[in-house]
Amino acid sequence: MSAYFNEMYDTGAVRPPYARLRDWMDAMPTELRNLKQAEAEALFRRIGITFAVYGEGGDPDRLIPFDMFPRVFAHDEWRRLERGIKQRARALNAFLSDVYDRGEIVRAGRIPERLVYLNEAYEKAVAGIRPPKGVYSHIVGIDLVRTGPDQFYVLEDNCRTPSGVSYMLENREIMMRMFPELFRSNRIEPVEGYPELLRRTLASVAPEKCKGDPTVVILTPGHFNSAYYEHSFLADLMGVELVEGQDLFVEGEFVFMRTTQGPQRVDVIYRRIDDTFLDPLCFRPDSMLGIAGLMDVYRSGGVTIASAPGAGVADDKAIYCFVPEMVRFYLGEEPILENVPTWQCARHDDLKYVLSNLPELVVKEVHGSGGYGMLVGPKSSKEQIEAFRAKILEEPEKYIAQPTLALSTVPTFVEEGVAPRHVDLRPYCLVGERIELVPGGLTRVALTEGSLVVNSSQGGGVKDTWVLAE
Amino acid sequence: MRLLVDHVTRYHYDQPVRGVVQSHRLTPSRFAGQKVQSWEVTVSGGQRGGGFRDGAGDWVQAWSVTGPVSEITVRVRGCVDTMDLSGLLRRHREAIPPTAWLHPTAPTRTDAALVDLAHSASGNGPLALAHALSDAVADAIAYRPGTTHAHTTAAEALAQGEGVCQDHTHALIACARVRDMPARYVSGYLYATDDGTPHEASHAWAEVWVADLGWVGFDPANRCCPDDRYIRLGSGADARQAAPIRGIARGNGEERLDVTVAIEAAQQ
């Protein structure tokens, strides 16, 4: 295991951010730990937070394992990450503004034209339409992994509707309830301001036609959706209405919500449904989830949709390779966060390399998610590798490959006591009039020994994520 | 040519509906080939919604009607001066780059027969190739009203060898894409001089992106490029996306549609 960076122990010594956790850990006998673990589970069940993270599918009623051992960032570590995340969120939004306008980055030859304009997620229906404040992706979830004290890599960007933030909030809430003493002995930056910050961010991008206090709603596909819990949880904490398509209708230049007091105009819709279902008049005519005429209201400036339709073109796995280029092109800065080196099987030379190095690589589907349809070379049998080789050869353009990263580990409670397990991190960056980031995020942990796959559908759990105050 | 348009669309619902939302592409395009003298769209009982110029350069106008309502009439009346530009769409502003129009939609998806048809055409240079593709489509699909329906795909129309202007246009878009030429669906009006039959007045044709020339219109159904008999309203990737009127009614009423289009040339 020494090949992996352990975030708590560096060459045997305890790293400063974890100093106080060591005593806490040592003072916890097995019986107490089991008791606490059972208590945590009961709390989660009572809250009802059982949905799968990131729309990974799987059993929606299954509880995602919560590990009580927190993941800790020192103040300085976090400040650097924060700068990198905000920089990336700015660049992604600049890219979206550009490709739906003049496409300067394409004209300059910095990103291939077809990759952008023939992308499944490029939406002709919003070309030439500028959303309020020019923001397309209002909640940017950036998945990060760490490989050393100062080495962080971005695994992927999520510009549409990244989920999982309710875990960030619940994990903290539960830790504070169960271990109040930890929050006295450590100065931990709060994350509970997130819902209010999200509400303010959304209100700040209300359309110009909106005079006065904007009405914000969350649009959900309904209770059968695996993330419905998160939708209602956020609506509750933000103090806004949770609506389904049938609760809204278009009249004249605006969108209205049916209420017991009569129709109420809606100014900002935080939608948790995909573009294609938003409006049967503009997109899929068979959509029962959307609102007929919504896109015309949006495009004529009567309502804001967050994230903006078409935002997905920025978080495609093939576009991902060009994000560092976006940072340089739009911001004139060097990227603070690095990309994982990526081979695109659509390119002949890359494909050749990938096929001859499969046992060392991680291969993913360009449009896949949730750890499905991927190959982790070092963890796969010869047969699995050969089967995957055939799949790649069939449709090379559907795959990208990356080196197997030495994901950092954090101590985690396991059957035998405490042991290092691999983790990743998803912080949630909010983009409105200003760019904001709460100090924290969602840490996912691969609970199986040696596993590098943190997805909840593949045996992953979650941890509270701390950022220490200065 | 000065063309006078009177286009009436009547929607009847057998049970009153709670409301109707429509999205119109019913305003003549702004380009060098046509100049609007007067133009008016009315919707009975309708409330005008937002309007905007979309990425393809079309004026899109939203309307809503609050029910209960069992009949709606959309009437378009206007006068447009047109010029013959041999199909060229000159001085037309749009934000969507031509490459984006290479993306297929369901009715323009290719099959082996469409690919073969596309490769059967040859021409010296992209303009000649586009003409050849348009001719190939006209040869392969005979004009025969009533043989296809609104959801017929290009592949289906080619397989049965007959169809109407919508099918010709879908087939030409599909074939152009096979030859790596962006293409799109255009809806508009046609003043039919000789045997002015009503079904032709509301017309559709294709535009193909020709390097150095820009967008050029091709009308396989009439084996020509649009000239001063044509009024261009708007474009899209297929018939549905380019439709002059798209609408959805809230309610269970069954919809029945009556359309009359009269295009006349004004005496000058």
Side-chain angles (χ1 to χ4, degrees), chain B residues 4-238:
Chain B
L4 303 170
V5 176
D6 191 351
H7 171 194
V8 180
T9 310
R10 278 204 184 81
Y11 298 83
H12 307 268
Y13 302 95
D14 62 355
Q15 291 173 47
V17 292
R18 279 179 288 138
V20 173
V21 177
Q22 291 190 338
S23 184
H24 291 177
R25 261 184 193 77
L26 277 175
T27 308
S29 310
R30 281 205 290 214
F31 78 104
Q34 56 194 27
K35 188 159 187 290
V36 173
Q37 292 302 331
S38 66
W39 199 261
E40 187 192 34
V41 179
T42 56
V43 178
S44 60
Q47 184 181 355
R48 188 180 287 270
F52 59 95
R53 200 160 290 284
D54 74 1
D58 302 329
W59 183 261
V60 179
Q61 179 65 51
W63 286 87
S64 57
V65 180
T66 307
V69 61
S70 45
E71 187 174 309
I72 293 171
T73 303
V74 178
R75 184 160 192 189
V76 184
R77 272 173 301 182
C79 172
V80 182
D81 288 340
T82 58
M83 261 171 50
D84 181 2
L85 296 180
S86 311
L88 294 187
L89 186 66
R90 273 177 33 205
R91 296 215 310 272
H92 184 254
R93 293 172 61 117
E94 48 192 296
I96 300 170
T99 305
W101 296 99
L102 284 169
H103 203 91
T105 63
T108 66
R109 233 171 267 284
T110 49
D111 65 353
L114 279 164
V115 171
D116 285 348
L117 182 66
H119 286 296
S120 74
S122 64
N124 193 5
L127 181 62
L129 177 58
H131 276 289
L133 286 168
S134 182
D135 290 342
V137 166
D139 290 341
I141 302 175
Y143 179 76
R144 204 156 292 144
T147 53
T148 51
H149 53 84
H151 301 291
T152 302
T153 66
E156 288 162 357
L158 177 59
Q160 67 186 56
E162 47 193 16
V164 293
C165 59
Q166 170 174 318
D167 305 300
H168 285 122
T169 305
H170 282 154
L172 179 50
I173 293 168
C175 289
R177 191 174 59 246
V178 171
R179 303 301 295 266
D180 207 29
M181 295 174 94
R184 63 188 177 192
Y185 195 103
V186 180
S187 55
Y189 300 114
L190 169 61
Y191 170 58
T193 39
D194 305 319
D195 58 341
T197 42
H199 56 257
E200 282 190 331
S202 185
H203 195 50
W205 59 95
E207 279 171 357
V208 179
W209 178 261
V210 177
D212 301 331
L213 284 178
W215 289 106
V216 182
F218 291 90
D219 179 2
N222 291 296
R223 293 181 182 267
C224 67
C225 288
D227 52 29
D228 56 355
R229 296 169 299 155
Y230 290 70
I231 297 174
R232 186 188 192 277
L233 290 176
S235 68
D238 55 35

Side-chain angles (χ1 to χ4, degrees), chain A residues 371-410:
Chain A
Y372 288 113
M374 69 187 263
L375 174 83
V376 182
K379 305 279 174 200
S380 302
S381 67
K382 265 208 161 69
E383 292 73 37
Q384 286 169 322
I385 290 177
E386 287 318 307
F388 214 89
R389 181 190 307 279
K391 277 170 68 178
I392 299 172
L393 280 168
E394 211 168 290
E395 287 176 285
E397 66 285 351
K398 275 181 69 180
Y399 297 92
I400 55 155
Q402 296 172 335
T404 313
L405 291 175
L407 265 58
S408 62
T409 65
V410 172

